[in-house]
Amino acid sequence: MMSPQLPQGFAAVDGGEDPHAFVSYVDAVSALSSAQAYKQLTLLMLRVGEGARVLDVGCGTGDAARALAQVVGPRGWVVGIDNSRTMIEEATRRQNGLGLPVEFYVGDAYQIAFPDEVFDACRADRVFQHLREPKKALSEMIRVTRSGGRIVVSDPDWGTFIVNSPDRDLTRRIVGFACDATTDGWMGRQLPGLFREVGLQDVQVRTSLVVIEEYDTAKEVLGIEWLAHGAAQAGVITSGEAERWLRGLQEDHAAGRFTCGLGGFITSGVKP
Ligand SMILES: C[S@@+](CC[C@H](N)C(=O)[O-])C[C@H]1O[C@@H](n2cnc3c(N)ncnc32)[C@H](O)[C@@H]1O
């Protein structure tokens, strides 16, 4: 059963009822072909090659860090940090024996435990939406990146959460609740402005759309059942409406009409 905190409870994974549910969640997202496409783009936008030193902030289970380690090769160095010990233990377990130039540490995006300018590039994927002080985290990423180095931050924007449902009014209320239940559901659209505000140059924006056509996958990855019941608990809808909405989605799935998706922003900038 899905943890009641997913997908919005990532600020404190280890403090949750079932931290390993977050590992399964990250894996479920990574398995989606539309997620793989945007993730690949985030890596390309870092523009790193052999010998580069790269930091992944909020690295989760370390998939991107391991992929980057293949790119930078033995002369390079990749570090993944995450404030969840559960995530770092899993990332470390997965890289054991691979011989890749990658290291994982428990660490906080607000206080990155590395000296100034040690990395050529720095990234964070789906982390800033969970941060109360994204500017502070971005400033830390800039501090540890060398002048001329590139920073890439990608986040969904829950204002783009789309669900094909027979009941549009109910859907609007539930997706609105989903957006507001995230620490900053509008993080995606705010990234380009944030990058400029902190003085990053050559700011470039790409977009992503993760599309899901199976009810069970949407339940796991977008938390549609939790969101419907959460909206009912918050008084945004009634519990009868939550049941009706979910029933409608299940019927749509059976009829081949189920589609939902979440858009995101991938923003890159260069440290002056
Ligand atoms: C949605 S997951 C994304 C993980 C990974 N970047 C990916 O794309 O698969 C968000 C990650 O950010 C981490 N996180 C949240 N707040 C953090 C903070 N203040 N410092 C470091 N990591 C944080 C969580 O523990 C979690 O692993």
Side-chain angles (χ1 to χ4, degrees):
M1 203 175 103
M2 193 180 82
S3 158
Q5 296 176 313
L6 288 173
Q8 274 82 4
F10 269 103
V13 165
D14 296 343
E17 271 171 34
D18 179 8
H20 291 280
F22 290 87
V23 171
S24 307
Y25 174 86
V26 164
D27 283 345
V29 174
S30 299
L32 298 171
S33 57
S34 49
Q36 284 163 10
Y38 98 75
K39 281 174 172 291
Q40 184 60 24
L41 183 56
T42 67
L43 301 185
L44 291 174
M45 285 172 73
L46 280 172
R47 298 198 202 168
V48 291
E50 225 188 316
R53 296 155 300 166
V54 189
L55 176 68
D56 188 10
V57 175
C59 62
T61 56
D63 290 359
R66 283 189 300 280
L68 283 165
Q70 306 266 13
V71 173
V72 303
R75 290 190 304 111
W77 180 50
V78 180
V79 176
I81 63 163
D82 198 289
N83 72 348
S84 160
R85 188 165 296 281
T86 307
M87 287 293 177
I88 291 300
E89 282 172 3
E90 186 60 24
T92 305
R93 192 186 66 74
R94 291 184 187 189
Q95 64 115 10
N96 279 344
L98 296 179
L100 291 170
V102 58
E103 296 164 21
F104 293 104
Y105 301 104
V106 175
D108 195 341
Y110 295 130
Q111 222 174 352
I112 299 175
F114 283 95
D116 297 355
E117 312 223 329
V118 287
F119 295 102
D120 297 305
C122 187
R123 79 185 290 276
D125 182 13
R126 292 183 299 127
V127 180
F128 275 39
Q129 61 178 323
H130 302 296
L131 300 180
R132 295 207 179 278
E133 296 180 87
K135 193 168 156 187
K136 189 172 169 185
L138 187 56
S139 301
E140 270 296 86
M141 291 170 73
I142 294 170
R143 181 185 65 76
V144 297
T145 303
R146 68 164 168 82
S147 173
R150 201 165 285 269
I151 292 172
V152 176
V153 177
S154 37
D155 266 287
D157 188 299
W158 286 85
T160 67
F161 185 16
I162 50 172
V163 186
N164 184 30
S165 154
D167 192 327
R168 294 188 187 194
D169 170 57
L170 201 44
T171 302
R172 286 189 190 104
R173 283 186 278 151
I174 294 168
V175 298
F177 169 78
C179 188
D180 294 340
T182 306
T183 303
D184 195 336
W186 278 18
M187 195 64 246
R189 73 188 72 180
Q190 292 171 25
L191 287 174
L194 189 60
F195 268 49
R196 292 190 186 99
E197 191 185 334
V198 295
L200 287 165
Q201 294 179 338
D202 188 24
V203 176
Q204 295 183 16
V205 185
R206 300 284 181 274
T207 53
S208 62
L209 180 63
V210 171
V211 177
I212 297 172
E213 293 186 285
E214 292 84 33
Y215 179 91
D216 284 345
T217 309
K219 175 179 155 184
E220 192 177 8
V221 170
L222 292 170
I224 51 170
E225 290 194 355
W226 176 79
L227 289 169
H229 296 307
Q233 270 168 21
V236 174
I237 60 172
T238 67
S239 47
E241 285 175 322
E243 294 301 339
R244 178 157 58 79
W245 189 67
L246 292 171
R247 214 170 30 250
L249 298 187
Q250 285 159 3
E251 285 164 10
D252 268 4
H253 174 81
R257 285 191 299 263
F258 182 80
T259 309
C260 68
L262 184 63
F265 288 71
I266 309 163
T267 306
S268 73
V270 175
K271 177 169 174 174

